[in-house]
Amino acid sequence: MDEEWLATLPGVRRGEPLDRHSQYGIGGPADWYLKVRDTAHLAEVMRHCHETGVPLTVIGAGSNSLVLDGGIRGLVVELPRDRLRELSDDIVELAGGAMMPRAALDCAARGLGGLEFAIGVPGTCGASVRGNAGAFGTEVKDVLINCDALAPDGSQHTYAASDLGFAYRDSRFKHDLAGHVVVTARLRVHADLPLAVRALTDAIQTERRATQPYNERSLGSMFTNPPGDHAGRLIDAAGLKGARVGGAEVSLKHANFVINAGGATAADVLELCDLIQRTVAERFGVHLVPEIAVLGEPVRRKD
Ligand SMILES: Cc1cc2nc3c(=O)[nH]c(=O)nc-3n(C[C@H](O)[C@H](O)[C@H](O)COP(=O)(O)OP(=O)(O)OC[C@H]3O[C@@H](n4cnc5c(N)ncnc54)[C@H](O)[C@@H]3O)c2cc1C
């Protein structure tokens, strides 16, 4: 792997602590970290990484990623947090790095309905397409028209929503399109009264705050809901609310949230998740599947 060229990139940071970039406040360093300017810049950087064998990882708002304690090898890139663009009366365009709650508020201000659910997804558009994020009965797949993504060699491709294999918290970006970076998404909206859109957006936010530990550091739901049930109900019924490993704790407010109660390491979180999975499997015969992305290495490799 030839990394020499990375040191010459304007704005690149070496050994960037990734706990700063995760809503969990957990994670070792990135070998290299770069906030790219725009899609053309990202394409150029991806092409160089591809040609020189440098692994590239994109990080959004870090609201769904457990970065392991050894950090991430190669280059970690962050996309610009551009704001929503209105393309027509019923289509808006979001950059891959755009924040979903900001998009929900921008739509409310313009009287555009359809993205109210996004207020409850504190992450970026690109990651939300990858994970088919959803809340309150609406998922990204319900509003996405198409998106542009860069392949690992930097080439750009457009995918219709119907080609993306969407399922519950799943898309092709987790499978055969892994390593692609979503840079733009076009979403369907509809004209509505600004006050009505804002009222629904606020109602969703109020409900979230009442039922989830919003003031704690978490990654949202730790496990996907098994068919016909809720992971939180099973974890609660297994008596695991408040269970703790090091600084990681099963939230008392919502059992499917594993919070960083202070000084948690990624190893603590993984050990607690393992305890949750084993206990729920023993008690109810259900295997809980993690919803989060796990990035990096458990232990830092010696250079
Ligand atoms: C309090 C709280 C509440 C939450 N509630 C919900 C909810 O109701 N519904 C829900 O679905 N989720 C929820 N989440 C989880 C999270 O907000 C979503 O999964 C969100 O889509 C993640 O976005 P992110 O930018 O933070 O992703 P990150 O954690 O930064 O990244 C997640 C994964 O996506 C990859 N990725 C990042 N950007 C891109 C890109 N542009 N293209 C391709 N891959 C990319 C990363 O490499 C990583 O593998 C919640 C999280 C928290 C902390």
Side-chain angles (χ1 to χ4, degrees), residues 14 18 36 57 73 78 81 159 173 182 184 232 254:
R14 194 169 198 161
L18 290 172
V36 296
T57 304
R73 303 288 72 79
E78 179 188 333
R81 299 263 186 272
Y159 297 93
F173 290 113
V182 177
T184 318
H254 192 310

Side-chain angles (χ1 to χ4, degrees), residues 23 57-65 79 96 120-124 126-128 130 133-135 169 180-182 208 212 214 218-220 257 291 293 295:
Q23 291 188 27
T57 304
V58 58
I59 187 107
S63 69
N64 197 224
S65 294
L79 310 184
V121 180
T124 59
S128 298
R130 173 186 178 273
R169 300 293 176 269
H180 287 55
V181 178
V182 177
R208 302 243 108 192
Q212 298 179 357
Y214 254 78
S218 81
L219 297 181
F257 281 59
E291 181 170 323
L295 305 177

